[in-house]
Amino acid sequence: MHQTPLLDQLESGPWPSFVTDLKRMAAKKPQVDDLLGQLERSYKDKITHWKHGGIVGVLGYGSGIIGRYSDLPEEFPGLEHFHTMRINMPAGWFYSTTGLRDLCDIWDQYGSGVLNVHGATGDMVFLGTRTEELEPCFQALTAKGWDIGGSGSAVRTPSCCVGMARCEWSCYDTMQACYDITQAFQFELHRPSFPYKFKFKFSGCPNDCVASVARSDMSIIGVWKDDIRIDQAAVAAYAGGELKARGGGSPWNKLDVKADVTDLCPTACMSYDGKTLKIDNKNCNHCMHCINMMPQALRPGTDTGATILLGSHAPILEGAQMSWVIVPFMRMEPPFEELVDLGTNITEWWSENGKNRERVGELMLRLGMRNFFQSVGLEPPAQTIRTPRANPFFFWHAEDFEAEAKGRKYIKA
Amino acid sequence: MADRITDIGPPHFEKFLPPVIKDNYGKWKYHEIMEPGVLKHVAESGAEIYSVRIGSCRLITTDFARDLCDLADKYCGGYLRFTSRHNGEFLVSDKAQLEPLKAELKKQGLPIGGTGHSVTNIVHTQGWVHCHTPAIDASGIVKAVMDDLFEYFGSHKLPAQVRISLACCLNMCGAVHCSDIAILGIHRTAPHVNHDRLRHLCEIPTTIASCPTGAIRPHPDKSIKSVVVNEERCMYCGNCYTMCPAMPLFDSEKGGVALLVGGKVSNAKTPPMFSKLAVPYLPNNPPRWPETTAAIRKILVKYAEGANKWERVGEWVERIGWEKFFEVCEIPFTFQHIDDYRWAYDTYRTSMHFKF
């Protein structure tokens, strides 16, 4: 066993220790002992000891496996190859113990036994195996009904919040949508053919528990169009302190409905006179604050669907972006054909026009929103913008004059 | 090969749902947080499910996964899930199992919490354990920070929820750009070009095109098939290294940690916000990164003291003003804080609305 005096210092303290866990596995698997040994070296040298990737994979796929090699293979022979496999997780990260144990058995047989629950995109990540184990491991996975996820310039493994499985706020079935989209894009997920990565994330309400607005090229966020459902008796129970503020998740038990809820409404569309909570629903911007505060009294309406936003990515290259609204409301019913069609149109436009390593949100800025909307067949909704342009530098196309002559505001897409 | 199975996608989630969830799918009525880490969801039918959330590592072994399975078999009818923030969740259908499960978790040292106004688990990346571009480790810093902030995981004493995330380089697999507190690994040296390796390993036009600031150009000596880097224009993003392995930018002394604060993704009250630079550099100091844990604690404590009820970190900072944020957190303001990248103008103050 390698000596790990620096890592050993991460075994104390109340938070669970990954070092303690890895040591258990290191006693059984020499490559995990080498993993600890090399990590200890990184702690000493303050640099990584993994070499730049390398192209490895399973037959017929171009994604799902990330090549990984140690730069100290003589010292840590177990890490000579230590590739990553991304396993497409079940929607909502639900597992039966049978399913999870199947995965453990496979990974114990073909790999290091070290994994992530879960990776940043949402996959279960198997860390560390040799090139020759990849295909047998893949076949063992598919035999049990599992498949690997996306990597590289492909559709990345879509992910979603817990949705209707265990949340009363979900405005559509996020898990079914995530599953159906994952199935619809299997080819694009496993065979990278895009300018860069493309992520879908599904959140059931504007609380956005999977950070879709920040972390996915295509963000599908649940929303309602009708009235917030109110149980006035429950509102009174919150006001009286019989029900706890925020469902019990805050330091304050008793809610001051005016100060804590209605006065903080961003559109000032609600009022409370001590007896009745009134909401001017036409002016509600569905921020979720009042619902978050009083989960037993308020619920989203029943005329529900999703808003489609597009374009977010982390700072590489032009600076971080959040997705912006392109379709204010889409009805979301299985098999989600409208969404699949829109996703297909968008990725085709991006594939035709995008430069190498250009995300769709960057392309939209480079070519302009008009080009985008017209190319993918969408009409421009006013909800797309926070504010119209403040400069006078706008263009007129011949087709605008034609539309004008015909009494329309623009050519129909 | 004929019967090789491909493109089946993940198993359908339905087979992993506890019966009470299957029966009440889409018919949940409300929830309560009974205590930190314990959720109760009630369906229209009156059915209930209890979820016990535990802090666990993102980096685990199959041994640990099997431990969780044993607990789920004993107390949850064989069902469990994980959250978007690397927490584990035990799904308890039988209320009588709740207290025994909690006792068992306590015995095994698995902390219960991460709900409501807590500091929940830190979303993070691989770091030195498995990545080729990190400036810092991930799991080790997360362990050190969560040890330090442990009291906030199992309690609801903050003005709002606080989401901490960590990415070990600017590529931000951890997408920390919308977190209340973001821990970011940064390189501070331009790549060292290995001309001999570059000739064999890299495509020169793609390497040049990979640089967002145009700092890379062909080697002026045409007989050398390589590139040179204008170091003054390099902002150490590592994008070129991703395209060309002959351009590593690691430096054991200069790499380190930056902290960004005030991001959120929820729409509650205010729209989603980006995290903004609070601390440009802290030393890379394994195994416990004391400067980083201390700086995070200071920001968290000042936020807890200064924020109004329900205010997220970003809402608090916007209300008091960034100049006041730097003052109360005793963070020196530097040139690095002033944006000079693509959309910098949006960040300059064009009003008299500031404080002395």
Side-chain angles (χ1 to χ4, degrees), chain A residues 215-226:
Chain A
R215 304 185 71 171
S216 57
D217 298 272
M218 196 156 177
S219 317
I220 299 103
I221 302 178
V223 71
W224 67 96
K225 290 208 291 192
D226 55 345

Side-chain angles (χ1 to χ4, degrees), chain A residues 45-76:
Chain A
D45 298 346
K46 301 190 203 178
I47 56 168
T48 188
H49 282 291
W50 295 104
K51 281 204 284 199
H52 198 282
I55 296 170
V56 286
V58 300
L59 290 173
Y61 282 13
S63 71
I65 314 280
I66 321 293
R68 192 63 78 220
Y69 304 88
S70 168
D71 70 0
L72 302 167
E74 285 82 28
E75 229 170 311
F76 304 107

Side-chain angles (χ1 to χ4, degrees), chain A residues 272-287:
Chain A
Y272 184 62
D273 61 4
K275 288 186 193 123
T276 310
L277 180 75
K278 287 191 185 138
I279 303 179
D280 170 14
N281 282 282
K282 285 276 172 266
N283 283 306
C284 166
N285 68 358
H286 37 77
C287 86

